[in-house]
Amino acid sequence: MASKVNVKFVASLGAGLVVLVGGLGLATYFLLVNSAADLAKKGDQAMSKEDYASAAVYYSKAVDKERTNIAYLGKWRESMAKKVPDTRQKFSEAYRNWLGIARQMAIVQRDNLTDQLAYAEIVRQQYLVGPFNRDANTLALNEMETIIGYYSGKPEGPWEKLRKVRGIARLRAVNEAADAKEQQWADALADLEAAAKADPADSETALTLVSYYGVQAQRAERRGEQEKSDELLATARKVEEDFIARNPDDATMRLSLIRLDLDLAIRDFAKQKDGGGDAIAAGQAFTERNRPRFEAATAKALALEP
């Protein structure tokens, strides 16, 4: 014979559930009991109604349940891109979430170079711009080591664009170290050269290479190796000339080359100082001699899209 239903127990259970749901709030209860797929579906519905804030919440909760689901991460990112936060606090929170999404997509998709390069640029802007910070630099270096490690043993290819950010981090670190080893300098150079080869149109990589040779020239000069210093500066100039030959419309590198030539002119003038040279006349001569180059570089800069 079937057992009797305990009516009092069922009633008390129902009452308890009502209290629980009331305490959590219906929205919170929904998030807890629904699957990632259910939450993502709710996000899709909110997106279709252009309710991007709600969509972002649903997608974020779906990601909480399935942290490596690329589809949910992508939808969360898309929903966030649709709405500009209206307060500083909301912006800070959204930015932290954006960084987390970018990192997760770069780490989870080991062969998605597009998302990895996008995250590498975020790392560069977040940690490698401005005054040197050792902790930030180390964090950037570790992040890039992880991603570049996915390509260990792979032949040369577009993935080596990732070495740009690691090269910048390595160069900044070694430039700040009092006891840097030559191998550390060599490692930074190898990264930058590989990145420049992988992306011949990236002026930032080329400029960092120029900076590398400039620093090495200064080190050689301090050691009294003047001929070596001159060779390194000549190499820096060749990097800029070769880049301009490949990218004639790049105004940044054209202006950088003029600046380098000015530095070289000042350096040469300093060597001749004992001969009683006229600094003002030398400066005016340099200006007139390079006026066409400066005007051409300025025209290239003004022609860029705003």
Side-chain angles (χ1 to χ4, degrees):
M1 182 176 65
S3 60
K4 294 182 179 180
V5 175
N6 189 330
V7 177
K8 290 184 178 180
F9 174 74
V10 172
S12 63
L13 180 63
L17 185 59
V18 169
V19 172
L20 174 64
V21 173
L24 292 174
L26 289 174
T28 303
Y29 180 71
F30 175 84
L31 296 175
L32 287 173
V33 302
N34 281 272
S35 67
D38 293 331
L39 293 166
K41 185 176 180 179
K42 280 288 186 181
D44 293 342
Q45 292 171 354
M47 285 288 282
S48 68
K49 298 174 184 177
E50 298 185 359
D51 183 0
Y52 304 123
S54 296
V57 171
Y58 285 124
Y59 290 139
S60 71
K61 297 306 179 183
V63 169
D64 281 344
K65 290 177 179 285
E66 294 185 16
R67 294 183 178 275
T68 60
N69 190 307
I70 296 302
Y72 299 160
L73 284 163
K75 288 182 176 184
W76 186 13
R77 179 173 62 182
E78 181 184 0
S79 66
M80 290 179 62
K82 294 285 188 179
K83 184 174 177 60
V84 178
D86 54 7
T87 67
R88 177 171 295 185
Q89 181 178 352
K90 289 180 180 179
F91 178 84
S92 297
E93 181 181 356
Y95 185 66
R96 286 194 300 271
N97 287 334
W98 186 270
L99 288 178
I101 293 169
R103 183 182 189 278
Q104 192 72 347
M105 296 190 80
I107 297 296
V108 172
Q109 304 175 97
R110 295 194 170 203
D111 58 352
N112 190 323
L113 183 59
T114 299
D115 281 338
Q116 290 165 350
L117 287 171
Y119 180 59
E121 179 58 18
I122 291 174
V123 168
R124 186 192 68 80
Q125 293 182 13
Q126 184 77 7
Y127 304 119
L128 302 178
V129 174
F132 179 77
N133 180 293
R134 190 171 304 281
D135 291 339
N137 201 82
T138 299
L139 178 58
L141 189 55
N142 290 340
E143 289 291 271
M144 297 315 303
E145 291 278 13
T146 296
I147 296 174
I148 292 172
Y150 298 155
Y151 296 91
S152 178
K154 297 286 183 69
E156 293 182 2
W159 69 268
E160 290 192 294
K161 295 176 185 178
L162 293 166
R163 297 179 67 177
K164 163 188 171 178
V165 177
R166 187 175 70 177
I168 293 173
R170 281 177 164 175
L171 181 58
R172 285 168 67 94
V174 75
N175 197 36
E176 292 291 328
D179 56 348
K181 305 294 188 295
E182 289 304 317
Q183 186 58 50
Q184 293 174 286
W185 288 100
D187 290 342
L189 177 60
D191 271 345
L192 294 171
E193 288 182 331
K197 184 177 179 180
D199 189 357
D202 186 350
S203 61
E204 187 172 37
T205 302
L207 286 170
T208 308
L209 265 175
V210 171
S211 176
Y212 169 89
Y213 287 116
V215 170
Q216 290 287 53
Q218 292 175 353
R219 294 179 71 223
E221 190 166 6
R222 286 196 295 269
R223 294 193 301 266
E225 300 174 5
Q226 192 61 53
E227 185 176 344
K228 180 65 174 178
S229 178
D230 292 342
E231 291 175 359
L232 289 162
L233 288 173
T235 301
R237 194 177 194 285
K238 188 175 188 308
V239 170
E240 295 191 324
E241 287 181 324
D242 290 348
F243 184 90
I244 292 171
R246 293 191 303 268
N247 307 278
D249 292 331
D250 192 288
T252 301
M253 192 61 77
R254 285 177 175 270
L255 291 171
S256 177
L257 181 56
I258 295 172
R259 171 60 187 270
L260 177 58
D261 284 344
L262 175 60
D263 289 343
L264 291 172
I266 293 172
R267 192 165 178 264
D268 289 341
F269 180 81
K271 292 178 184 178
Q272 302 167 8
K273 189 175 180 181
D274 293 339
D278 186 335
I280 295 177
Q284 291 174 340
F286 178 88
T287 299
E288 289 305 314
R289 188 166 62 251
N290 289 280
R291 187 182 300 277
R293 295 171 63 199
F294 182 77
E295 291 175 348
T298 302
K300 296 288 185 185
L302 292 175
L304 296 175
E305 291 291 336

